[in-house]
Structures are given as structure tokens and as C-alpha cells.
Amino acid sequence: MEQVDLAIIGGGISGVAVAQCAAAAGYSVVLLEKSTLAAGTSSQSSKLIHGGLRYLESGQLDLVRESLRARRELLRLAPTLVKAVPFFIPVYRDSRRGALTLRAGLSLYGLLSEFDRLGRFRSLPARAWGSFPGLKLAGMTHMFQYWDAQTDDALLTKAVADSARLLGADIREGAECLTIEHEPQGCKLSYRDADGDKMLHCRFLVNAAGAFVNELLARVTPPIAQTAIDWVQGSHLLLDIPAPPGVLYLESCFDERVVFVMPWYGKTLIGTTETLCQGPIPQITREEIAYLLGIYRHYFGGSGSFTGAVTIEALEAKVLAHFSGMRVLPKGDGDAFGRPREVQLYQRYSHPRLLTLYGGKLTTFRATAKAVTAEISKVLGKRSPKADVDKLMLG
């Protein structure tokens, strides 16, 4: 039977990042992905590498600080994949978040960025408000501009996987894990690929199956306790409208959430929603489409709009594509807006050779990988490192 130090289940950004970090630390690594790399949420996110300005509202300061640090690192390590982009926040007389609130939030955002050059913001003069063709100007009192970053999430995931492969990690696509037997010295896996059923023994196993995390745990013997979760879908629409000159941070006209209107390969991308689902497979709903187009129409549907589209039906005709990612959040009551977004690492006393990742963010995948590798080293001991992940360029 094949023997390795580490097996990882799941080929999203978290899984490939753990593969890279662990391989760099000197461990032998096999990653099993039942489909293709970045087939799920890691290709269906909002495409942003950002600190999460809105998380300040729910007091998640540590997450924002960590995310801003991660943004700085990725701009350095992946300059062809992660680009700084200007973000704009228009403020209207009826906005729930007034100019003073936003000034305070942006000031704290800059402080948490540890005086990064991208931590600065400014209030734009009225003559610059028309830089977004068709954006509603009636009732606008302020427009703030700050900085965050954007990426192609699928390409970033594949770049991290390529780095892991160069370090010796064996990444196998089309390989579905069927059963997991936890033993005192590791885990015995059965999996299926194009050549049939196979077996693998690893000294440590990482469950990075994303929305299917508990489904994978159900295949473990002896049985292991699962953490209660909610599946929260985030949907996006790609519109056949010329790309805006930056990312617009817009307050929803329906609730207290914010959405982004973003440039994406020459077109306009709008997202995201937060819809509680009954299962791990995302599927955009009619209500989500109406929600996103309603917000867009609220800000761009007036006379003189460059879209020429005033009705929801006319905007629907401009939808080129849509996609939905699935967040895994702690089980809770009410909406998902204020729930913690940090990744949760679970390692049960009954199953010390198995670590499970619940949730996580695209922006902070490197911090997650380092934390997981630290847990691996506690069980397996340290190896002779092959490389320093803080110096490995991506893309």
C-alpha cells in the first residue's frame, strides 16, 4: 500500500495551499480532488483579495488585520495574478452608513493595514463623481476612494497547485475518496480514479472538502463527531455592460448588506448574495437574480444611464453568465451577515490524525495553510524544509 506523510482531500484554494506549505516543510504529500482543481467555490468567489471593510461592522478586527496582511503578501508574491484596484463608496442623503461613519471605518481600515501604502483613502471632489457612467448622482453627498485587490481565483488556485507540484506534492484530479479508516498511526483511505479503486495510507489527513466537509466525515470509521454548519450561497451576475473604472462598494437598497460592482475581463460583475441553503451544491435562485439586478437598477437605472436599461427585464437580457459559491459558516439563527468568517480547524481527541477545515476565505489561504502545517508538525514532528513559502513566487 502506498505510504505518505500527508493526504489532503479537496482541491480548492485551502487544499492546494496546505499541499504547498506542507511540501515546502519537507512532508510527502498526496492531494485527492474528486473533480478538477478550483471546480467549486475557489472559482466562484467575488474575485477579491481584500481586508473585508464590512467585517468591521461586526467587530471582526483580527480577521480584517490578518486579511490586510495577506493582501500585502499576495501583492508581493503573485504580482501577475493579484492587482491593486481602486474601490469607490458613494454616499447619499438616505444612506444608512453616513460620511462620518465611513470616514471612521476607513481610518480604522488604514490603521489595521499597518500603514501599508494601500491603507490610504480620500474623499473625491464632486467633479470626479461622474467617472462612473450612469451612476446616480441625485442625492449623492460624498464619494470615498480606497484600495484593495482583485484576482482570478481559479488561476490563483492553479498557480498555488503548480508551486506545490514543483515542491514534490502529488496532486491527483478525478480521484474521489470513498472511505477513511482512522488508525493509531494514521489513516487508511480508499479512493477511485479513472483506473479503478485504490488504497493509500497517510500518517496525517486533512479534510479540505469545502462545502462537502461533513459529507467526507460521514465516511470515517470509527465515526467522528461533526460540527453543525450552515451552507450560505453567494451568487454573482456577469453583465454585458462595459467594465467600470474600479470597484463600486454599494449599500443594498433592500437590506443592510453591501454588494460590489466590479470590472471583470472587460464586463461588469455584480455580487454577492447571502442565501441560506439546504445542501452543499449551489444553484442561483430567481430571488437572487432579482436582488442583484434590483440593486444595480437602483444605482444605474435612471435617465441617462449608459446601459439604456431601466426595467429589470431589460437588465436580465444583459446577463451573460452567473455563478454561485458556497460558504460554510457556523450553525446559527437569523441571517449570515454578522457570523464569523475565520476558518475553523477541528482535530478531535478521538481522531488525532485527522484535521478538518471548516470555512475560510480566499484572501487568507496562506495563513490557513501555515496554521494547518503547524498542527501537522505537532503530530509528525518536523522535517528538513525544502523551501520558504514566504519567498515562493506564484504565477
Side-chain angles (χ1 to χ4, degrees):
M1 185 185 300
E2 184 179 7
Q3 301 270 350
V4 293
D5 290 328
L6 174 66
I8 303 162
I9 310 299
I13 189 65
S14 295
V16 299
V18 172
Q20 182 207 33
C21 194
Y27 299 101
S28 56
V29 178
V30 167
L31 183 149
L32 304 179
E33 164 52 48
K34 66 180 180 180
S35 179
T36 58
L37 296 180
T41 301
S42 293
S43 62
Q44 297 164 353
S45 74
S46 294
K47 323 296 185 187
L48 298 178
I49 300 296
H50 65 132
L53 178 63
R54 72 181 185 88
Y55 299 142
L56 294 178
E57 294 184 60
S58 51
Q60 299 181 66
L61 300 187
D62 288 342
L63 175 61
V64 173
R65 182 185 292 107
E66 179 183 67
S67 299
L68 288 167
R69 186 179 302 120
R71 181 190 71 182
R72 183 167 60 249
E73 292 171 351
L74 285 169
L75 285 165
R76 173 176 59 85
L77 294 173
T80 63
L81 293 169
V82 179
K83 303 285 189 180
V85 294
F87 280 58
F88 299 86
I89 310 177
V91 183
Y92 297 87
R93 282 193 292 269
D94 58 353
S95 294
R96 296 181 182 88
R97 300 164 181 87
L100 289 178
T101 298
L102 286 167
R103 281 187 187 277
L106 288 166
S107 297
L108 179 57
Y109 202 62
L111 183 64
L112 292 173
S113 73
E114 300 174 355
F115 302 103
D116 186 311
R117 64 182 182 84
L118 297 185
R120 65 189 186 277
F121 74 95
R122 58 180 177 147
S123 178
L124 296 178
R127 64 179 179 275
W129 297 353
S131 58
F132 285 85
L135 178 64
K136 181 178 72 172
L137 298 180
M140 189 185 297
T141 62
H142 297 77
M143 180 180 280
F144 294 101
Q145 187 260 310
Y146 70 104
W147 293 90
D148 258 320
Q150 191 175 36
T151 190
D152 184 316
D153 47 3
L155 292 182
L156 181 61
T157 299
K158 291 171 184 177
V160 177
D162 288 343
S163 177
R165 287 189 178 103
L166 289 173
L167 293 164
D170 186 351
I171 296 177
R172 303 173 186 177
E173 298 177 85
E176 181 177 6
C177 180
L178 303 175
T179 64
I180 301 168
E181 185 178 346
H182 189 281
E183 301 173 335
Q185 299 305 313
C187 293
K188 184 165 62 178
L189 313 180
S190 68
Y191 70 97
R192 181 175 296 147
D193 63 14
D195 298 323
D197 291 356
K198 299 179 180 178
M199 300 294 294
L200 168 70
H201 186 274
C202 61
R203 298 177 182 87
F204 198 93
L205 174 64
V206 172
N207 175 3
F212 299 91
V213 60
N214 279 345
E215 181 179 300
L216 185 68
L217 289 182
R219 304 177 187 183
V220 176
T221 56
I224 183 173
Q226 301 176 9
T227 296
I229 61 173
D230 279 325
W231 292 287
V232 179
Q233 176 175 285
S235 294
H236 306 76
L237 301 176
L238 183 65
L239 305 181
D240 189 17
I241 294 172
V247 177
L248 272 171
Y249 181 109
L250 298 176
E251 196 175 75
S252 167
C253 52
F254 300 117
D255 51 32
E256 295 183 357
R257 298 185 65 256
V258 296
V259 301
F260 297 106
V261 173
M262 301 164 277
W264 187 246
Y265 289 106
K267 303 298 183 182
T268 293
L269 181 67
I270 178 170
T272 180
T273 60
E274 287 185 323
T275 303
L276 285 168
C277 298
Q278 298 303 309
I281 300 176
Q283 179 65 49
I284 195 168
T285 66
R286 291 296 306 170
E287 290 78 11
E288 288 178 305
I289 293 173
Y291 176 84
L292 293 173
L293 292 182
I295 293 171
Y296 189 86
R297 180 174 178 267
H298 176 78
Y299 287 99
F300 287 93
S303 59
S305 169
F306 76 98
T307 67
V310 177
T311 67
I312 293 294
E313 292 75 16
L315 277 176
E316 283 185 329
K318 291 184 174 290
V319 176
L320 292 173
H322 58 75
F323 59 87
S324 303
M326 190 65 78
R327 307 179 186 94
V328 173
L329 297 182
K331 191 77 174 177
D333 298 324
D335 64 45
F337 184 77
R339 296 194 209 173
R341 301 304 170 105
E342 294 95 335
V343 64
Q344 306 292 324
L345 308 183
Y346 284 91
Q347 191 173 6
R348 307 293 184 185
Y349 289 114
S350 60
H351 295 68
R353 299 275 176 161
L354 168 59
L355 186 147
T356 297
L357 278 64
Y358 283 98
K361 283 169 53 63
L362 173 67
T363 300
T364 55
F365 71 85
R366 298 183 70 254
T368 297
K370 289 180 179 180
V372 172
T373 303
E375 295 301 318
I376 294 167
S377 69
K378 291 177 184 178
V379 176
L380 301 187
K382 293 187 176 181
R383 302 285 193 268
S384 297
K386 293 182 179 179
D388 181 351
V389 291
D390 290 331
K391 296 180 181 178
L392 293 174
M393 302 298 289
L394 298 171

